[in-house]
Amino acid sequence: MQTQVLPVNEESIKLAADLLRRGDLVALPTETVYGIAADARNGEAVKKIFLAKGRPQDNPLIVHICGMEMLHGLVSEVPERAYRLAKAFWPGPLTMVMPRGPEVSDVTCAGLDTVGIRMPSHPVVQAVIRASGVAFAAPSANLSGRPSPTNAADTLADMDGRLPLILDGGDSDVGVESTVVSVSGEHPVLLRPGYVTKEQMEEVLGEEVLVSHAILEKLRPGETARSPGMKYKHYAPKAQVTILKGDFEKYKAYLQEHAAPGVFAMCFDGEGKDLPVPAIEYGTNGDGASQAHHLFTALRECDKQGAQVVYARCPLSNGVSMAVYNRLLRAAAFRVEEL
């Protein structure tokens, strides 16, 4: 299969819409990361996503819409919490897990009785949904387990020959996947952190948002992934990543002890010049939004530069930084050292 990479215009959006209606795949930009889209109601189309990514089919996908009217048939119930969060954060990088409706494919939901829905703010996604009339399932456009792509070039690096079309809409603004929150049940539960924070949702809802243990820990034996991004190892470069917790002086001293060919640092802006090994910087110290924007590009850069071992500076674990720490934990397969 030949993969076309096309700039976004009326013609390429029409082509994307035609492919989706025919049950094919399209990779396209969202405000979070690039995604691979297929008609969420068409199980055979959605199976192509898993094949393209090499992704296990027990990992549910998120359904993307461009208006509240599209919820009909995709969910069986819209809880009151969902209306309040939608008013505050849609369109935007928030996915809400709700009771599944009759029209969404079993393949999309990985057999669960719930479905994650989001209304992205990126104009390209909105244009493709409107042109196609298709609510589409769309995970990140990377090979399974690899860092998510935030531009068309990195999408092509993973997906060349695996799907017919990539729409090039420039760099994604946010840089990490959407926040996922379950809005059914007695309490809302944060399943995956993202740009919309626990604190922001609590302010809108006027109640505590519980945090799934699987955000900062491994899934327990036999436990089901209720959201994408809950697997043990994910977002990982080929290099072995370890997170180092401690201040910059301790981090620098650790690297001096462990400096060797193939050892790289992943640090914050401005720190690389003071380190004894090659360094890749991934945003401003203490600024979760800046780190989120650069994280996956930095992880991919580790591979491009031939890193074999990467020691990453540890971000904070609240606000948007919780999303960064969550992704780094999985990239490191939960290898963390206290300095």
Side-chain angles (χ1 to χ4, degrees):
M1 181 189 300
Q2 185 175 2
T3 301
Q4 290 189 85
V5 181
L6 297 178
V8 175
N9 54 39
E10 193 174 332
E11 196 173 300
S12 63
I13 285 172
K14 182 180 182 303
L15 175 58
D18 289 344
L19 286 167
L20 286 171
R21 281 194 298 265
R22 293 205 306 260
D24 227 320
L25 304 183
V26 176
L28 74 180
T30 79
E31 73 274 28
T32 57
V33 298
Y34 273 61
I36 305 174
D39 184 348
R41 293 176 168 89
N42 182 341
E44 292 306 309
V46 175
K47 285 178 184 176
K48 295 178 183 179
I49 293 177
F50 292 99
L51 287 171
K53 284 176 64 73
R55 176 183 174 120
Q57 289 195 24
D58 64 347
N59 210 353
L61 305 180
I62 290 166
V63 179
H64 295 63
I65 62 174
C66 67
M68 294 293 284
E69 70 283 352
M70 295 185 76
L71 289 173
H72 181 73
L74 296 176
V75 299
S76 60
E77 174 197 351
V78 182
E80 176 58 30
R81 289 188 188 109
Y83 284 112
R84 281 186 275 160
L85 290 173
K87 185 176 181 181
F89 301 115
W90 277 5
L94 176 67
T95 294
M96 289 187 273
V97 176
M98 297 182 253
R100 172 183 161 187
E103 295 181 15
V104 64
S105 165
D106 200 51
V107 184
T108 299
C109 301
L112 300 175
D113 58 1
T114 56
V115 60
I117 307 276
R118 96 173 182 97
M119 189 188 297
S121 61
H122 200 290
V124 174
V125 180
Q126 292 189 352
V128 170
I129 296 172
R130 283 195 299 270
S132 64
V134 168
F136 56 68
S140 52
N142 53 294
L143 291 172
S144 186
R146 298 269 294 136
S148 303
T150 57
N151 57 60
D154 286 344
T155 302
L156 182 65
D158 278 13
M159 289 295 128
D160 194 11
R162 292 172 176 265
L163 46 76
L165 177 64
I166 299 169
L167 293 180
D168 185 351
D171 289 349
S172 297
D173 289 335
V174 173
V176 295
E177 299 84 354
S178 62
T179 303
V180 179
V181 61
S182 172
V183 292
S184 304
E186 188 177 350
H187 299 284
V189 181
L190 180 64
L191 299 176
R192 181 177 74 184
Y195 195 75
V196 176
T197 67
K198 172 185 188 292
E199 296 82 1
Q200 288 174 318
M201 291 188 289
E202 286 175 338
E203 190 173 336
V204 169
L205 294 174
E207 64 179 321
E208 183 184 7
V209 175
L210 304 181
V211 177
S212 168
H213 73 91
I215 284 176
L216 301 179
E217 303 170 16
K218 304 170 191 175
L219 279 176
R220 292 163 185 158
E223 190 174 6
T224 300
R226 307 293 297 185
S227 160
M230 296 181 83
K231 293 291 185 176
Y232 169 65
K233 188 176 180 185
H234 208 33
Y235 318 114
K238 294 170 187 169
Q240 177 180 288
V241 178
T242 300
I243 300 169
L244 300 183
K245 281 188 173 182
D247 63 30
F248 181 69
E249 289 308 314
K250 289 179 180 174
Y251 178 76
K252 181 179 175 181
Y254 186 97
L255 290 176
Q256 284 169 338
E257 291 176 18
H258 292 80
V263 172
F264 275 63
M266 220 173 94
C267 58
F268 301 128
D269 292 349
E271 295 178 344
K273 64 184 186 305
D274 298 317
L275 295 174
V277 299
I280 295 165
E281 297 176 345
Y282 80 102
T284 306
N285 191 3
D287 184 344
S290 168
Q291 294 162 13
H293 183 73
H294 293 99
L295 176 65
F296 288 143
T297 305
L299 287 169
R300 284 179 174 265
E301 189 63 28
C302 293
D303 284 344
K304 291 174 185 176
Q305 293 195 27
Q308 296 171 338
V309 174
V310 175
Y311 293 111
R313 283 271 269 149
C314 187
L316 301 174
S317 57
N318 60 352
V320 179
S321 297
M322 184 190 285
V324 180
Y325 186 47
N326 166 266
R327 303 318 191 270
L328 258 183
L329 272 176
R330 280 160 173 77
F334 291 85
R335 279 182 297 271
V336 182
E337 287 198 32
E338 298 266 359
L339 302 181

